Structures are given as structure tokens and as C-alpha cells.
Amino acid sequence: MIVKRTILTLLVLVISIGFAIPAAASGADGYTYDFTGKAVPAPPPYSLERVVYGNDAQAGAFHSPEDLYVSKQGGIYIADTGNNRIVVLNREFQTELMIDEFEHDGKKDTFNQPSGVIADADGNIFVADTQNRRLVEFNAKGEFIRVIGEPKSSLIRQGFQYAPVKVAVDQAKRIYVVSRGSYEGIMEFDPDGAFNGFVGSNKVRFNPIDLFWKRISTKKQRDQMQQFIPIEFNNISPDEEGFLYTTTSEENSDRPIKRLNPSGEDILRDKGYFPPQGDIHTLKVGSAPGSSIFIDVAADVGGMYSALDSKRGRIFTYDKDGNLLYMFGGLGSRQDTFRTPSAIAMFEDQMLVLDKDNNRIAVFEPTTYGSLIREAVTALYNGQADRSTEAWQSVLKLNSNFDVAYIGIGKSLLKQGDNREAMHYFKLGSDRGNYSEAFKRYRKDVVTDHFGTIVFGILAAILLIYAAIKLGRRNIAGSHYEEIGVIKNPFYTMVHPFNGFWEMKFERKGRVSIAAIILLLVVLVTIIKRQYSGFVVNYNNPAELNSINEFKFIVLPFVLWCVANWSLTTLMDGEGKFKEIIMATGYALMPLLIIYIPQTLYSSVITESESAFYYLLDTIAYIWFVWLLFIGTMTVHQYSAGKTVVTMLLTLVVIGIILFLGVLFFSMIQQMYSFVMSLYQEISFRF
């Protein structure tokens, strides 16, 4: 009886814990990414409206359908691969046309696993008849027109097996084919079916180590190695402007989605926080490890496009600049998820997803949240700035963490000429490119309105600087130390390092207290720089800034350098005392102290294209610091230049050893503490 009660109690406890644990987020839950790469929850942009099976469309059950296309007239074309047929549905998702056999050269012909289908502007249907290694064209009524067979050309490598899987037709009636194993690019045919060549080849990707071994190997060894070949395309989809969206199957591709012009050049814009690549920062473990794998792209209105990820069954929608607007979908057994998604298409504002294993079409319609985003994007695309702003503001009421909404409002304000307010919204959306453009226009307006005052201020500043320099030179004349004093000596050492460090050591003019003050001031100006630099150059996350960390990351290396250098030079006949090393290292920090303040001020009045000088100041400060540290080390220890370089490099090695020993020591202390606590707990339980 006691055993039964115990088992019952444990069962209740397990069930209670199960209910207490939050359910994992389903694949259908929406999210976006902020500028730091963190996934931010978002309302669902689409909801399932209906599911269409072949029997629902009066076409019989689908069997492993591979491709889906929606024409401008509303015709829905399905490559029903397993049934070796093409099914055309009308706007009500009822079968309007079915092609499973046709007359060819006086004989009846059939498809063999057709994997791609598309219709041109005239309604002519092009089918990628994969296993028959050909394209077949029909008119809008399904009547056979012609067969475009395997191309013959010197451009095609020997042994290539032509197997068309996807087909597209542009406005000029050119035909583009994605063939299995065609890593040279997309195959282009003219309107008459003649092969023109390859367009849009992907770049070759290789491991540098493999390349090195390939260079030094013999020809026989190279023949046995893996070849460096471009990534092949897996799909192609035209848009209304005559460009071609393409996708590739390889993981971690730098450009998984491309938008090709007629010359084969990629013109896809990627001005978002991250390139259009689906999920970011993905793990290499789990049920679906690695990056997203896109298998289809559907062009949408307003420059938007949606990409289908086969790995996790998610749909990512981007605007024309590459900003992620929303995401939905996922793999699963629910009606609004997929088992093996194979194709995607836009049907007005609805989204159709073809599920190969479920043999159905899932029809999604936009929610209020999704409709507002679509309205905002298309309104701005069509030049309706006021309407776009209103829509984005409504979006923010539903999702206040949506950075792209702030960017959208900023773009609308920029079109209206409200540059200052546009700057505010671009900053909220962390869009430095557009912020820079708005700031440039705002700065031009300010200069135009206050030109006289600005010129007068610049002239006054120049005169003050000139007067200060003249006065400083007059004071420096003669014996600098008696007139300048120990407080001003670090400034002299900056520009006269040999004299300054010599007098610091041999005339005892340096002060450890001044070196410490310089160190603390460098910490202070570094904190100011990181927190208050201009937006266009400040990529720090305000939520992660910590003044204590800045203190540790500057003071700790300073102390480690001094200790390591003193420890090393004691064994290398160095003449420098520990306090002299501290003074030399502290005085060498002066360029950072002098440059950081004006650099921070300068960063607030520049645009992104003018930031090169800001980073140049960083480079000058660090080089100046290393130069002063080199001279200070050489003077303090009375080393030659070569021995000083060796000493500084060895000092870095000693710092690494000290850090290693420190980590080892604290690890041992932690293990000893854990052992003592375990022993204490064991003794406590026994007594």
C-alpha cells in the first residue's frame, strides 16, 4: 500500500512539473531580429485560411508535388510530380486544366516526374520535364506547342547530364533553366529555344588549407582531391520587373538569395542588420542544425519578397532593402505547419505554400499585423509617405519592439523633408545608413541658416588656438622643466619623448601619481567615448555598457604590463625600477587622453561617409602610444632598439603566462572549495 501511494505521489509530481515547464515555442510563432542579432517575439503576420487537397480541387489526390506558380491572371499552376501531370486551378481553387498526356509527333506523350512549371504573360505553359531531360511548352488551353530538348554547345562540359528542375521566362521571352548538377550557372535559352549560355554563376568556395595542399600536390594527387566548384542553384523565380530571384541549397552560403538582372549580376540589396539569410546565429546541434536552406522565393508587391526555408519550414519576408519584416511557419503536424514544404507563391495578399509530403496547398491570409506592415511598405514604395507613416505607427502599437517600423517612419519623414525627426526615428531603428543621409541634409540646412555665425565661430577658434600656441612657445623657451613643472611635463614628453623620458629617469622629474592620474583619465575618456560617440560610429549596445568593465579592461592590462615587464627585465639586465616602468607606461598613454576628447566631439558632426578620419584618429592614437611606450621602455632600461622590441614581445608572452597561471590558480581554488563543501555536506548528513 505504501509503495502504491509513493508511486502515485511521484506520478502526480511529474505531471505537475510537466505543466509547470513552459511549452517550447512552436514553429508558427513569429519573431524578428534586432540590430544585435537577438530574436524578438512578434505577432503572427499570417494565419491559415484554408488547406487545399487535390480532391478538394476535383483533381484527384496530389502525389509529391514539387512546384507552384501563380500567374497575374490568378491561375495556380502545380507540378504534380508523383502523378506525372500539371494541374491548373482557378481563383476558387478548382481544377481548370489538367495536362497528363499530349500529342507529340503524332504520338501520345507523357511527362516523367516534372519538377517545374511556369506560365508567361500570354498564358503559355512551360514544364521542366525532369526525367525526360527536356522542356515542354503548351498554350493557355493546354495544347502542345513544342519540345526544347537537351542543349548542345561547346560551353557545356563533357559528361554533363541535362536534367531541368525549374524554369522561368522573362518579359523578353528568354527562357531560364535550373538543371541538376549545373554549377556553371543558370542555363539561358532564346525565345526560339536555342541555348545562349550560362548566367549568374555562384562564386567558388574553398578551404584555404585545402587550396594550399592542392598547390603543392602532384597532378595525380590533385585528381583524387575534392574539386573546387561553384554552388549550384536549386530554384529560380521571376518578378514583375523582369529580374530573377535565385536560391542555393548549400548551408552558410554568403548569398543564399540573389536577384539577377538580365546580365546575370546580383542586385539584391542587403542594407538590413543582417543579409537575407533566414535564421542567424544558428547552432550546429539539435534536430535541425545549421543555417537556413532556401528552396524558393516569391516576389511580392512593393519590392517585398518571401523566401521558404526547407530546413525548419519557415517563411521569411524581406523588404526591398533586405530588412526582415516578419517570419512565420514551421515544421510539425498542425494544419498551419508543414511536413516537407517544396514551393511558395503569392496570390494577391495571400501566401500559398505547397507541402510535398502532405500533398496539399496551405493558404495563408495576412493578420491585422501583417496587413499593416504590407500597407506601410507598399505605401512608401508608391510614394505615399503620410499613409506609410500612419500604417507604421499602427504597427508599433501592436509591436513596439519592431525596429523596421521606426526605420519605415524615418524613411517617410525623410521623403517629407523632416530631416531632424527622421534622424530620431532612424536612431530608434539603429539604421546608420539612413540616419547619415538625414543628418547630412539636416546639417546642410543648419549651415545654410547660420552660415555667418559658424564662420565667425571658426575664425575665433583659430585665433584662440594660435594665441595659445604662441603663449606656450614663449613659456617653453629656456629650461622647460623649471618653467613648465611636473604637471605639464607629460605633454612635453609626447612631442619630445627622448628628452622627456631621459629627464624622467635620470633627473627624477617624473611622478607615479601623475601616471596614475593619466591612467584614470584615460579610463574616464574611454567611457565617455564608448557611451557618447556619434551614432554613425557608435555600435555599442547601451544595455551592455558597463563602466566597471572599462575600468578593468584598461587598468588590468596596465598593471599586467608593468609587472610582466619588471619581472622580465630583472632577468635581462634592465636598469628600470618598477616605479619608472609605471611612469613610462602611464606617460605613454597621453596620446589616447589627448585624441579621444576631440575625436568624440568630431564623431557627433560627421556622416557615415566621413567616418574614415574618425578611425584614422584611432590609428594615430594607438601608433603614437606604442611609439612612446617603445621609447620609454628603451630609455628606462637603457636597451638598444632591437633588444627593446624583443623585450616588449616577450612581455606579452609573460602576460599570457601570468593569465594562464591565474586562471589555473582560481580553478584549483574553486575545486578545493567544491571538495570542502561536498565533504562538509557528507559529514552533516552522517551526523
Side-chain angles (χ1 to χ4, degrees):
M1 189 68 179
I2 296 176
V3 175
K4 290 183 178 179
R5 287 182 179 179
T6 303
I7 295 175
L8 182 60
T9 303
L10 290 174
L11 183 60
V12 172
L13 180 62
V14 169
I15 294 174
S16 300
I17 293 174
F19 281 113
I21 298 175
S26 70
D29 293 334
Y31 58 84
T32 57
Y33 291 103
D34 64 12
F35 73 100
T36 66
K38 179 182 177 181
V40 180
Y46 274 82
S47 62
L48 184 67
E49 193 269 334
R50 62 185 296 191
V51 173
V52 179
Y53 291 90
N55 290 328
D56 299 331
Q58 307 300 320
F62 296 135
H63 184 202
S64 300
E66 291 276 1
D67 200 14
L68 176 70
Y69 177 75
V70 177
S71 67
K72 292 181 180 179
Q73 293 75 24
I76 303 169
Y77 298 78
I78 304 166
D80 192 5
T81 308
N83 286 325
N84 296 317
R85 63 179 182 173
I86 301 299
V87 179
V88 183
L89 309 181
N90 57 24
R91 303 178 69 90
E92 286 72 36
F93 295 95
Q94 293 300 307
T95 301
E96 193 170 84
L97 178 66
M98 188 184 304
I99 308 174
D100 52 6
E101 61 179 16
F102 51 92
E103 193 82 15
H104 177 207
D105 291 338
K107 300 178 182 178
K108 287 200 173 184
D109 202 347
T110 58
F111 301 116
N112 190 357
Q113 296 186 19
S115 301
V117 62
I118 198 171
D120 63 14
D122 298 328
N124 292 336
I125 305 170
F126 293 81
V127 180
D129 193 3
T130 305
Q131 294 302 321
N132 283 330
R133 305 183 186 281
R134 64 185 181 179
L135 297 179
V136 186
E137 182 181 358
F138 303 88
N139 62 20
K141 297 180 180 179
E143 299 170 344
F144 173 79
I145 296 179
R146 60 174 173 168
V147 166
I148 302 175
E150 183 174 351
K152 305 294 182 182
S153 172
S154 59
L155 298 175
I156 300 176
R157 69 181 185 276
Q158 186 175 3
F160 171 69
Q161 296 292 322
Y162 179 63
V165 290
K166 302 297 176 185
V167 59
V169 182
D170 67 9
Q171 296 171 342
K173 302 291 185 179
R174 288 185 293 255
I175 306 168
Y176 299 91
V177 174
V178 173
S179 176
R180 189 177 296 138
S182 176
Y183 54 75
E184 294 89 350
I186 298 169
M187 308 182 78
E188 179 186 329
F189 297 80
D190 65 18
D192 295 327
F195 178 67
N196 288 337
F198 296 95
V199 296
S201 175
N202 284 312
K203 293 181 180 179
V204 177
R205 301 186 67 191
F206 57 86
N207 188 318
I209 297 177
D210 293 338
L211 178 62
F212 170 75
W213 286 113
K214 209 174 185 70
R215 295 289 189 188
I216 65 176
S217 300
T218 64
K219 183 178 184 302
K220 187 175 182 180
Q221 290 173 329
R222 287 197 298 269
D223 293 340
Q224 296 175 350
M225 291 182 178
Q226 184 178 3
Q227 300 296 314
F228 298 146
I229 59 176
I231 307 169
E232 62 180 277
F233 296 102
N234 62 19
N235 210 333
I236 184 171
S237 178
D239 65 10
E240 294 183 353
E241 298 179 9
F243 299 105
L244 301 173
Y245 285 102
T246 64
T247 55
T248 55
S249 301
E250 185 164 321
E251 290 189 28
N252 302 314
S253 174
D254 56 341
R255 302 286 286 185
I257 303 174
K258 290 185 177 182
R259 189 180 186 223
L260 305 180
N261 63 15
S263 300
E265 297 177 357
D266 182 18
I267 60 170
L268 187 74
R269 304 180 71 177
D270 56 356
K271 294 187 176 182
Y273 302 139
F274 304 95
Q277 60 186 31
D279 285 315
I280 61 175
H281 305 318
T282 52
L283 300 176
K284 296 297 182 181
V285 295
S287 58
S291 60
S292 300
I293 296 181
F294 291 129
I295 57 171
D296 198 6
V297 176
D300 201 352
V301 295
M304 296 186 295
Y305 57 94
S306 298
L308 177 62
D309 172 21
S310 63
K311 175 168 288 188
R312 301 178 184 89
R314 296 171 181 167
I315 299 164
F316 297 85
T317 300
Y318 299 89
D319 67 9
K320 64 183 181 65
D321 289 328
N323 294 300
L324 178 61
L325 298 175
Y326 44 76
M327 183 287 309
F328 74 99
L331 300 177
S333 57
R334 292 181 354 197
Q335 286 283 76
D336 59 348
T337 58
F338 320 109
R339 183 178 297 175
T340 307
S342 57
I344 184 175
M346 294 302 302
F347 182 38
E348 297 175 348
D349 63 346
Q350 291 183 326
M351 195 173 293
L352 311 185
V353 181
L354 188 65
D355 195 332
K356 177 181 178 180
D357 280 355
N358 281 328
N359 297 308
R360 67 189 186 190
I361 301 173
V363 182
F364 294 88
E365 61 180 6
T367 62
T368 301
Y369 177 73
S371 296
L372 287 171
I373 293 178
R374 293 176 58 82
E375 180 184 355
V377 173
T378 54
L380 183 63
Y381 184 83
N382 295 324
Q384 301 170 331
D386 291 336
R387 181 182 171 189
S388 177
T389 300
E390 292 177 2
W392 280 126
Q393 288 173 343
S394 298
V395 169
L396 288 174
K397 293 178 181 178
L398 299 174
N399 182 11
S400 60
N401 295 321
F402 191 33
D403 292 341
V404 177
Y406 295 109
I407 297 173
I409 294 174
K411 289 179 180 179
S412 300
L413 293 172
L414 192 62
K415 281 194 172 185
Q416 297 173 9
D418 192 349
N419 301 318
R420 185 171 183 176
E421 193 66 15
M423 288 166 51
H424 170 70
Y425 279 97
F426 286 136
K427 191 171 184 178
L428 290 175
S430 300
D431 186 346
R432 287 170 176 80
N434 283 309
Y435 175 91
S436 183
E437 178 62 29
F439 177 73
K440 183 191 297 184
R441 299 182 185 183
Y442 175 69
R443 187 179 62 183
K444 181 180 178 181
D445 294 338
V446 172
V447 170
T448 302
D449 296 339
H450 304 88
F451 182 76
T453 304
I454 293 173
V455 171
F456 177 78
I458 293 174
L459 292 176
I462 293 174
L463 291 174
L464 287 174
I465 294 172
Y466 177 77
I469 293 174
K470 293 290 289 184
L471 182 61
R473 287 179 178 175
R474 189 176 303 170
N475 290 335
I476 290 175
S479 179
H480 79 278
Y481 228 97
E482 287 73 15
E483 297 183 13
I484 294 177
V486 295
I487 295 179
K488 297 182 181 179
N489 187 64
F491 297 94
Y492 177 82
T493 304
M494 284 179 58
V495 293
H496 301 88
F498 290 99
N499 291 338
F501 285 118
W502 178 274
E503 294 181 1
M504 182 195 72
K505 177 177 176 62
F506 293 102
E507 298 183 15
R508 303 182 185 279
K509 303 295 185 179
R511 297 290 185 273
V512 174
S513 58
I514 293 180
I517 291 173
I518 293 173
L519 176 63
L520 295 177
L521 288 176
V522 168
V523 173
L524 178 62
V525 297
T526 302
I527 293 173
I528 293 174
K529 177 185 175 182
R530 286 179 61 82
Q531 293 190 357
Y532 299 106
S533 288
F535 176 67
V536 294
V537 296
N538 193 345
Y539 289 87
N540 299 309
N541 185 359
E544 297 177 356
L545 289 176
N546 189 331
S547 298
I548 302 299
N549 287 337
E550 299 300 329
F551 184 84
K552 291 188 298 185
F553 293 150
I554 295 176
V555 174
L556 181 60
F558 179 90
V559 173
L560 286 174
W561 173 270
C562 294
V563 172
N565 189 263
W566 175 77
S567 303
L568 182 66
T569 54
T570 300
L571 305 175
M572 297 179 63
D573 300 324
E575 299 182 7
K577 299 178 182 178
F578 185 64
K579 70 174 185 178
E580 292 172 347
I581 296 174
I582 292 176
M583 289 187 291
T585 308
Y587 282 26
L589 292 171
M590 279 298 296
L592 305 180
L593 180 60
I594 297 301
I595 291 179
Y596 276 4
I597 295 298
Q599 183 189 28
T600 303
L601 295 174
Y602 170 73
S603 68
S604 300
V605 295
I606 61 173
T607 62
E608 200 170 35
S609 60
E610 299 163 351
S611 61
F613 185 69
Y614 173 87
Y615 297 112
L616 177 62
L617 290 175
D618 264 337
T619 304
I620 292 172
Y622 290 127
I623 293 176
W624 198 349
F625 159 69
V626 173
W627 171 245
L628 292 180
L629 186 61
F630 168 77
I631 297 175
T633 303
M634 183 171 62
T635 304
V636 164
H637 297 295
Q638 289 296 284
Y639 285 161
S640 64
K643 191 173 182 179
T644 302
V645 172
V646 173
T647 301
M648 294 177 70
L649 294 176
L650 289 177
T651 300
L652 295 176
V653 174
V654 174
I655 290 175
I657 295 173
I658 293 174
L659 290 174
F660 172 76
L661 293 176
V663 171
L664 184 62
F665 173 76
F666 284 110
S667 177
M668 291 177 60
I669 293 296
Q670 185 179 16
Q671 291 180 10
M672 290 175 61
Y673 174 78
S674 299
F675 172 74
V676 172
M677 290 300 298
S678 299
L679 185 61
Y680 170 76
Q681 291 174 358
E682 183 69 22
I683 294 173
S684 299
F685 287 142
R686 292 186 179 274
F687 290 97

